[in-house]
Amino acid sequence: MAGEANYLDVKILGREYRVACSADEREALQEAVGLVDDKMRDIAQRTKTTIAERVAVMAALNIAHEHLAAARAKGTVVSADTKRRITDMGARLDAVLASAPSNGF
């Protein structure tokens, strides 16, 4: 049914999350999950940090920085849609982190 939420169960840094996404966004979401999981694992390993919230924030900052640096190098500007999507992702991260235990991994 159009407009009906579909869900995808994903695993990031060993934790499972259920994320709403449409069927046509599934592949892109799985690619994003891989990017985030890889970045978080790299940061956790390099910093020896076991606090998931700190690792998630650092990963988000690193990904945003890389995105903005690439956009600047190409001479492109971050569009209003991209800003909205980043804000939406931040809200989703906040919701996931709020529901996660705060005792690390």
Side-chain angles (χ1 to χ4, degrees):
M1 179 183 259
E4 186 175 311
N6 292 305
Y7 295 94
L8 180 63
D9 293 324
V10 300
K11 192 178 266 192
I12 299 173
L13 204 59
R15 291 185 176 182
E16 292 189 19
Y17 301 96
R18 176 164 281 191
V19 182
C21 79
S22 63
D24 60 331
E25 294 178 321
R26 212 173 168 90
E27 186 176 326
L29 178 60
Q30 288 174 323
E31 189 175 340
V33 166
L35 173 72
V36 170
D37 185 55
D38 289 347
K39 184 65 72 176
M40 287 181 66
R41 287 181 185 283
D42 179 55
I43 289 170
Q45 182 179 26
R46 283 188 291 124
T47 63
K48 308 293 187 226
T49 300
T50 60
I51 301 170
E53 180 177 353
R54 181 172 292 179
V55 172
V57 169
M58 294 304 297
L61 288 171
N62 274 269
I63 292 167
H65 174 73
E66 290 167 4
H67 171 76
L68 293 172
R72 276 190 219 100
K74 291 180 184 176
T76 59
V77 193
V78 177
S79 70
D81 182 55
T82 300
K83 288 179 184 178
R84 180 193 56 76
R85 292 178 71 195
I86 291 170
T87 300
D88 289 349
M89 283 187 258
R92 287 182 187 175
L93 276 172
D94 289 342
V96 167
L97 290 172
S99 66
S102 62
N103 62 347
F105 298 144

